[in-house]
Amino acid sequence: MFNLSIGNRVLQSDLVEKGIPVYSANVNEAMGNINKYLINDFNKPYIIWGIDGDWMVNLIPKGFEFYPTDHCGFMSVNENKINPRYMAYLLEKEGKSIGFSRSFRASLDRIKSIKINVPNIEIQNKEVDKVIELEKKINELKENQIDLNKEISKVLNSYLI
């Protein structure tokens, strides 16, 4: 159903200006770039999690090259049975419930021991589609959001001139 692994140690001297992004315990922001590969197949999405920092999970989209450090776990799933985005959500939720943190590390063994039940793929896909639609609406609202402070300043300035 899925494959689990952790990355390799990356030293500061391994980082380069241009290359593929390196993810460590903070899986939401790359810590730099590297010019070598640990993963050879980027034709699928990956779920990554921080092993020894604050509990974080991220979904790396299909086609996006990255390099995980030894502080970053990564997982690929059988997409015919598990929606990667759905699994990322469940893993994040379960990790919070378990209490993964800096002091209670999300090691590979602990991640392997998690039992997660998932509905059939059609239900997973429908739920993820709902989330995507809501995110689109949120982004549209953000784009159309008015900065009230600027609008108030404009009105006040028009009366002061």
Side-chain angles (χ1 to χ4, degrees):
M1 293 293 226
F2 51 88
N3 295 311
L4 299 171
S5 193
I6 61 169
N8 284 341
R9 187 167 186 83
V10 173
L11 303 174
Q12 192 68 31
S13 60
D14 295 327
L15 298 178
V16 295
E17 191 171 322
K18 291 188 178 187
I20 62 171
V22 177
Y23 288 89
S24 195
N26 179 347
V27 297
N28 294 316
E29 290 183 33
M31 62 172 269
N33 298 302
I34 198 165
N35 59 6
K36 59 183 175 180
Y37 291 90
L38 177 66
I39 299 169
N40 295 318
D41 181 7
F42 295 101
N43 292 317
K44 55 188 167 189
Y46 286 89
I47 300 163
I48 61 175
W49 71 90
I51 291 176
D52 55 5
D54 295 334
W55 177 240
M56 295 181 199
V57 176
N58 194 4
L59 181 63
I60 302 293
K62 176 180 175 177
F64 184 84
E65 297 179 345
F66 71 101
Y67 191 100
T69 72
D70 56 339
H71 301 278
C72 179
F74 60 99
M75 169 193 310
S76 63
V77 298
N78 177 342
E79 292 180 75
N80 294 320
K81 305 237 183 229
I82 302 172
N83 182 303
R85 186 151 181 197
Y86 193 89
M87 177 56 82
Y89 169 76
L90 291 178
L91 180 62
E92 183 170 18
K93 184 177 169 186
E94 189 64 23
K96 285 179 184 175
S97 169
I98 292 169
F100 288 145
S101 65
R102 290 177 185 272
S103 57
F104 186 62
R105 300 178 66 217
S107 68
L108 200 53
D109 287 336
R110 287 183 178 141
I111 294 293
K112 284 180 182 178
S113 71
I114 296 173
K115 303 272 189 257
I116 297 177
N117 293 319
V118 295
N120 70 44
I121 190 69
E122 291 81 18
I123 293 172
Q124 295 174 54
N125 289 339
K126 283 181 186 176
E127 294 303 311
V128 169
D129 288 345
K130 289 178 190 176
V131 169
I132 290 169
E133 282 303 311
L134 288 171
E135 287 175 344
K136 284 180 187 176
K137 287 180 183 176
I138 290 168
N139 286 332
E140 287 173 11
L141 290 170
K142 282 181 180 177
E143 287 175 10
N144 295 323
Q145 188 175 12
I146 298 171
D147 184 343
L148 290 178
N149 288 332
K150 284 183 183 177
E151 294 301 316
I152 291 169
S153 291
K154 283 181 189 176
V155 170
L156 289 174
N157 285 337
S158 71
Y159 286 108
L160 295 174
I161 295 177

